[in-house]
Amino acid sequence: MPRLNTEWSADIAEIRRLATERTGPFDDAFTRRFAQHFPTLHPLFAALYGHRDDGLEQLAAVVAEAAASWNSRPDTLKAHDDERESNPDWFLSNRMLGGVCYVDRFAGSLAGIRDSIPYFQELGLTYLHLMPLFESPEGNSDGGYAVSSYRKVDPALGTMEELANLAADLRRAGISLVVDFIFNHTSNEHEWARNAVAAEPGYEDFYLIFPDRTMPDAYELTLREIFPEDHAGSFVQLPSVDGRPGRWIWATFHHFQWDLNYANPAVFRAMAGEMLFLANQGIEVLRLDAVAFIWKRLGTPSESLPEAHLLLRAFNAVLRMAAPSLLFKSEAIVHPDEVVQYVAPEECQLSYNPLQMALTWDALATRDPRLLQQALVRRHALPPGTAWVNYVRNHDDISWTFADEDAAEIGIHGYPHRRFLNDFYVGRYPGTFARGVPFQDNPKTGDARVTGTTASLAGVEAGDPGGIDRVLLAHAIALSTGGVPLIYLGDEVAQLNDYSYARNPDTAGDSRWVHRPERPADLYAQREDLTTAAGKVFTALTHLIRTRKETPEFAGGRLSGFDARHRSVLGYQRPGATDAAARILVLANVDDHPAVIRATVLAGFEAGAIDIVDGERVDLAVGLTLPAHGFVWLRVVPLA
Ligand code: GLC
């Protein structure tokens, strides 16, 4: 087999011939899409695999996979593709609202999720992220993040057919279905994993398996330990065979999550096939799990290497051929400089915003919004056609991924500051309002992360008088900085930590289960009762959600800072300073005491402003007092 040429034009005819040999002639639409996206795909594929003798054959196999997938894509989804292509910025709308939950914990099964659609509509969701729902090992499967088959739904939850029907029902309700695509690793029970261990032809190189510790030791010199409570380092030993010591396999996360080897183009093709399959079930967004880890190279941390980006771009090009409306959301919980590298229309159109999330908690603990303010001014902007997913917390721990160099500029030392935040949020700091639990305490490095529900971290569990207001303040920030706000379902009714995980052997070793409780039916029943925490949070939060949906200034992600000249007040304007017209000014007080903002600070605006949350007129000429943990969303008009 010949290698790939350096010019796409030299290979296009041959690739098309080889692909159609497998799938039959391309239809008109696919012919058009192939012609449009092949010039993008070819050089990416060549950069990754051009040195291999099977490069051309492998690329033809990828194109054949795409053509076959297009042929079986349901017409309703093709119509949906057209709709999205005519409105590519749909996810930048201020009407967007995300929710995330575990299928079993929130609703028992996919059928239960379908029955919850009226509630999702009541809340205003337009985006529903269902946590991993594929077949995975019995017992501990890292909450389903160890996938044994991407084409089978966990039988306890339902079937693939039900998932496709649910996607259609949700779409009719105006809700896009999002699922995890756990593509850095599979479970050790995946058919590919079994075949690889058995050295079945074609599967030997699907994972990274080494005969002894030589290579693992060499790699580990520069790798970070991710789950040190599970196993030291990034490799685990396979059982011994015929009395010989077991080989070593790359496992970044748990010992049963084996990293795929993307240096093998057969892995790329196989995973492209799985993505396309899910796209054809009606999934609209794939949350790309652990995206930073997908490419490894000796002598490097093997995180966020340039090839990771080439892979994402290549996957995008394949998708644009055969499932054009599918989007990627990046899960990169790394240094902020690296997080943004994944966010591009050609890579991940959506991305978690772990920095804003962590720094919101930082501001609440320190009563000092400077790090968050700096991040909003400096690190919030994204390329057109992309958006942050802004969340208060998710199913994972909070890791303090701010940039030490940013912190140093305002006199904050990264290392002791992270220690303080950990102590504060796990309840070890005197006077703390938080009731979190440590996750992956690493005595070697002093590193740790924090888990807990929003209400427990914010002080509701501890009975702190500011607890409920902090829950609302944190959400008010996530709802007003642009992109897609994402609520962890249960947080909208102030759900507290659930310590029962510690009694279940499958979850006891992973403290993240403390903030993944079952759907709190009792709290949902109280959601209109203003004498309860659930009712207070739900009523206020749903009012903010409705307000956001009526506020066009909240569309997109454009934002500029506003210096409120007060040590506890965060300030920003939406959409931003370049518009002369009205805009929304957000002011948020993270302190436990009221904050008085002087009239001179607001003198750049016309005196008459509107508080869009309560609809009242506000006279800026007299200054503004924010209560403890209070905030305002003001429509203001800058003076000419
Ligand atoms: C991501 C998931 C996390 C999981 C890990 C390994 O970080 O969010 O829950 O443990 O990937 O798949």
Side-chain angles (χ1 to χ4, degrees):
M1 258 294 172
R3 293 186 178 199
L4 285 166
N5 283 294
T6 40
E7 291 298 319
W8 64 264
S9 50
D11 287 333
I12 188 166
E14 180 61 2
I15 297 260
R16 186 176 170 148
R17 190 186 66 74
L18 289 169
T20 50
E21 238 174 48
R22 294 181 184 221
T23 59
F26 295 169
D27 73 6
D28 286 351
F30 191 80
T31 302
R32 226 177 333 105
R33 294 190 180 282
F34 173 70
Q36 192 182 346
H37 299 290
F38 185 78
T40 307
L41 176 59
H42 181 280
L44 293 164
F45 205 85
L48 290 161
Y49 308 116
H51 60 285
R52 294 179 53 117
D53 288 337
D54 61 352
L56 192 108
E57 185 190 334
Q58 293 283 359
L59 182 53
V62 170
V63 172
E65 191 90 48
S69 177
W70 175 257
N71 290 340
S72 58
R73 186 158 174 82
D75 286 340
T76 47
L77 293 179
K78 289 183 179 173
H80 187 68
D81 291 334
D82 293 342
E83 219 174 276
R84 292 298 198 212
E85 275 179 321
S86 67
N87 179 21
D89 284 347
W90 62 275
F91 55 85
L92 294 170
S93 160
N94 52 299
R95 303 197 61 77
M96 288 297 293
L97 178 72
V100 53
C101 66
Y102 285 87
V103 175
D104 54 343
R105 302 196 148 227
F106 192 79
S109 64
L110 291 177
I113 294 286
R114 197 193 50 223
D115 294 342
S116 307
I117 291 177
Y119 173 70
F120 299 148
Q121 289 179 300
E122 173 190 339
L123 190 58
L125 296 191
T126 61
Y127 167 118
L128 178 67
H129 172 194
L130 295 179
M131 297 295 295
L133 43 77
F134 299 105
E135 194 176 78
S136 57
E138 284 288 312
N140 185 1
S141 63
D142 189 17
Y145 280 100
V147 174
S148 303
S149 166
Y150 299 93
R151 299 195 182 217
K152 277 197 211 123
V153 168
D154 174 351
L157 306 178
T159 64
M160 192 51 80
E161 195 189 346
E162 278 181 284
L163 185 67
N165 290 338
L166 174 66
D169 289 343
L170 286 167
R171 200 170 327 106
R172 274 190 288 274
I175 303 172
S176 299
L177 180 58
V178 184
V179 301
D180 287 85
F181 194 64
I182 298 126
F183 76 134
N184 173 68
H185 44 266
T186 71
S187 87
N188 56 348
E189 295 181 6
H190 195 290
E191 191 190 341
W192 303 338
R194 295 183 201 269
N195 287 342
V197 170
E200 289 291 335
Y203 292 93
E204 306 93 332
D205 295 332
F206 258 57
Y207 301 82
L208 295 131
I209 305 181
F210 301 97
D212 54 39
R213 282 291 311 177
T214 314
M215 290 309 292
D217 284 342
Y219 275 112
E220 279 177 0
L221 290 175
T222 50
L223 299 179
R224 194 159 68 100
E225 273 185 339
I226 306 299
F227 282 173
E229 289 176 5
D230 185 78
H231 63 277
S234 298
F235 296 82
V236 293
Q237 192 168 23
L238 297 172
S240 76
V241 182
D242 302 333
R244 273 173 294 144
R247 293 170 295 162
W248 292 83
I249 189 160
W250 197 308
T252 300
F253 295 89
H254 290 93
H255 58 280
F256 50 82
Q257 288 165 306
W258 293 355
D259 290 49
L260 286 160
N261 174 23
Y262 280 95
N264 175 3
V267 171
F268 180 92
R269 178 184 42 73
M271 290 307 260
E274 305 307 72
M275 287 184 190
L276 291 167
F277 172 82
L278 292 173
N280 279 359
Q281 310 310 306
I283 308 298
E284 294 193 42
V285 180
L286 291 178
R287 170 196 179 275
L288 297 185
D289 184 64
V291 68
F293 295 89
I294 56 177
W295 194 272
K296 312 350 186 180
R297 187 182 311 120
L298 192 63
T300 74
S302 295
E303 283 183 57
S304 294
L305 293 178
E307 287 84 352
H309 298 284
L310 299 179
L311 281 169
L312 290 174
R313 284 169 189 251
F315 279 130
N316 259 283
V318 174
L319 288 171
R320 297 293 85 83
M321 284 182 196
S325 57
L326 190 83
L327 299 183
F328 284 159
K329 172 189 173 194
S330 145
E331 190 242 357
I333 314 300
V334 287
H335 188 286
D337 288 346
E338 282 172 38
V339 174
V340 288
Q341 288 167 9
Y342 295 95
V343 197
E346 311 75 25
E347 280 190 35
C348 297
Q349 298 78 18
L350 297 167
S351 167
Y352 278 120
N353 190 352
L355 184 64
Q356 182 179 311
M357 183 276 291
L359 293 181
T360 299
W361 290 109
D362 167 73
L364 292 175
T366 57
R367 283 79 164 176
D368 174 356
R370 283 178 304 156
L371 275 176
L372 178 56
Q373 179 85 36
Q374 181 199 49
L376 283 172
V377 171
R378 180 178 295 183
R379 297 191 179 270
H380 187 76
L382 288 179
T386 64
W388 288 121
V389 173
N390 285 310
Y391 59 119
V392 174
R393 64 97 166 189
N394 67 2
H395 69 289
D396 280 331
D397 47 292
I398 301 176
S399 38
W400 310 105
T401 57
F402 60 84
D404 282 8
E405 40 307 359
D406 290 0
E409 278 178 35
I410 44 183
I412 294 173
H413 257 281
Y415 184 79
H417 194 63
R418 286 190 183 86
R419 290 215 99 150
F420 158 74
L421 291 168
N422 283 329
D423 287 346
F424 188 92
Y425 278 108
V426 303
R428 287 182 200 142
Y429 190 81
T432 181
F433 53 74
R435 292 289 180 270
V437 177
F439 175 66
Q440 302 295 336
D441 249 333
N442 190 339
K444 272 191 284 183
T445 59
D447 189 29
R449 285 110 79 180
V450 169
T451 66
T453 66
T454 298
S456 287
L457 292 178
V460 179
E461 183 176 330
D464 185 272
I468 289 174
D469 288 341
R470 285 193 203 94
V471 172
L472 292 172
L473 180 62
H475 282 100
I477 294 170
L479 285 166
S480 62
T481 52
V484 182
L486 177 65
I487 297 176
Y488 191 96
L489 296 178
D491 277 3
E492 77 280 25
V493 288
Q495 183 166 28
L496 300 178
N497 286 346
D498 171 7
Y499 297 95
S500 67
Y501 79 97
R503 294 192 295 275
N504 175 345
D506 292 335
T507 52
D510 187 335
S511 62
R512 292 174 299 175
W513 291 104
V514 82
H515 62 202
R516 302 167 177 176
E518 304 218 333
R519 178 181 183 278
D522 50 340
L523 299 183
Y524 280 105
Q526 295 167 3
R527 68 185 185 274
E528 318 247 290
D529 178 351
L530 284 172
T531 64
T532 64
K536 286 179 188 149
V537 169
F538 186 82
T539 309
L541 189 56
T542 46
H543 181 68
L544 289 179
I545 291 168
R546 282 192 297 274
T547 307
R548 178 180 197 270
K549 287 183 189 258
E550 287 157 11
T551 307
E553 291 91 335
F554 284 152
R558 214 146 57 77
L559 174 153
S560 62
F562 179 83
D563 182 359
R565 283 181 254 156
H566 190 292
R567 59 172 175 74
S568 68
V569 177
L570 174 74
Y572 49 92
Q573 312 174 73
R574 303 286 324 282
T578 52
D579 287 341
R583 78 229 2 214
I584 303 299
L585 173 66
V586 178
L587 297 168
N589 175 21
V590 296
D591 201 2
D592 305 337
H593 306 283
V596 179
I597 298 168
R598 281 169 294 129
T600 48
V601 174
L602 303 165
F605 304 113
E606 286 177 11
I610 302 287
D611 180 329
I612 61 168
V613 178
D614 63 13
E616 299 287 321
R617 246 183 97 82
V618 176
D619 182 7
L620 300 181
V622 299
L624 197 73
T625 301
L626 294 173
H629 323 112
F631 64 91
V632 282
W633 292 352
L634 296 177
R635 183 170 276 122
V636 293
V637 179
L639 289 174

